[in-house]
Amino acid sequence: MFSAAITGFFTGFSLILAIGAQNAFVLRQGLARNHVFLLCLLCAGSDALLIAAGVLGFGVIVELYPLLPQIMTWGGAAFLIVYGAIRLWAAYKGEYAMQIAGQSAGLWATLGTVAALTWLNPHVYLDTLGLIGAISVQYDDVAQKTVFGIGAITASFVFFFSLGYGARLLAPIMQSAKAWQFLDVLIGVVMWLLAFKLLS
């Protein structure tokens, strides 16, 4: 039982460790020090739902709606292109007085953006529903499969809250507009690379 939990934890952690659209947004908001708790809760909660669905079996849904992965791919790529352009435009304008002062967009705008970055990203479904779901198949026992899923969900909560609140450690070097410009350019480029990867 313990082995299943550890396997689930490290599987989940390894899949979300890479910098992606969602992680980059959480990092940026963590640096701005606004809405961090609810933002991390939404990200981890979304992962929990998707991991649970993966462990329970997402393959059935894809069999019923075979075009669903393709639709999610195009929608996710479109959103990443637009969000990347927004970040690059922000870097071009260079107006970061709010961020330096520790302010950011409103709560609902922030949560709406991260929800879109989460639910419109096909890679999230591939990782949580596909890979985690596939690995969970090795456990025939329902209890072990459940513990495996709980381990993966726990990893998501640990990761996002560590990223959101750990970003504050970088706050001292984010006290200039140039630093925020660099971060936005980096995020914008990452968004476009992810979109290109989705469409290729």
Side-chain angles (χ1 to χ4, degrees):
M1 200 72 76
F2 181 73
S3 174
I6 292 297
T7 301
F9 183 89
F10 283 106
T11 299
F13 203 86
S14 63
L15 289 176
I16 59 176
L17 190 59
I19 283 293
Q22 187 187 45
N23 298 352
F25 186 77
V26 172
L27 175 64
R28 191 178 192 283
Q29 289 302 118
L31 286 167
R33 302 184 300 280
N34 275 325
H35 319 305
V36 177
F37 178 79
L38 290 178
L39 182 70
C40 294
L41 186 62
L42 177 59
C43 289
S46 296
D47 269 7
L49 289 174
L50 291 167
I51 289 168
V55 171
L56 293 173
F58 180 67
V60 177
I61 298 175
V62 175
E63 286 179 12
L64 292 173
Y65 305 100
L67 288 177
L68 185 60
Q70 188 63 42
I71 293 170
M72 290 190 306
T73 296
W74 284 98
F79 185 84
L80 289 173
I81 290 169
V82 171
Y83 186 71
I86 290 171
R87 295 275 51 90
L88 291 171
W89 178 248
Y92 173 75
K93 288 181 12 181
E95 298 171 359
Y96 291 101
M98 286 179 59
Q99 285 81 1
I100 294 171
Q103 301 172 9
S104 69
L107 174 62
W108 293 112
T110 299
L111 294 182
T113 300
V114 81
L117 288 170
T118 301
W119 293 94
L120 290 178
N121 181 4
H123 285 298
V124 170
Y125 297 92
L126 176 63
D127 290 346
T128 56
L129 299 174
L131 295 177
I132 291 179
I135 293 171
S136 71
V137 172
Q138 67 180 302
Y139 300 105
D140 296 324
D141 182 59
V142 175
Q144 281 192 317
K145 186 175 287 192
T146 301
V147 168
F148 171 83
I150 291 172
I153 289 169
T154 301
S156 183
F157 275 86
V158 169
F159 176 82
F160 282 114
F161 278 92
S162 297
L163 180 63
Y165 285 102
R168 296 183 181 190
L169 299 175
L170 298 175
I173 64 173
M174 298 302 292
Q175 295 302 311
S176 70
K178 289 290 184 186
W180 280 97
Q181 277 182 309
F182 176 79
L183 180 64
D184 271 343
V185 168
L186 181 63
I187 291 174
V189 170
V190 168
M191 297 302 114
W192 280 5
L193 287 174
L194 290 171
F196 177 76
K197 187 176 178 181
L198 282 178
L199 296 174
S200 62

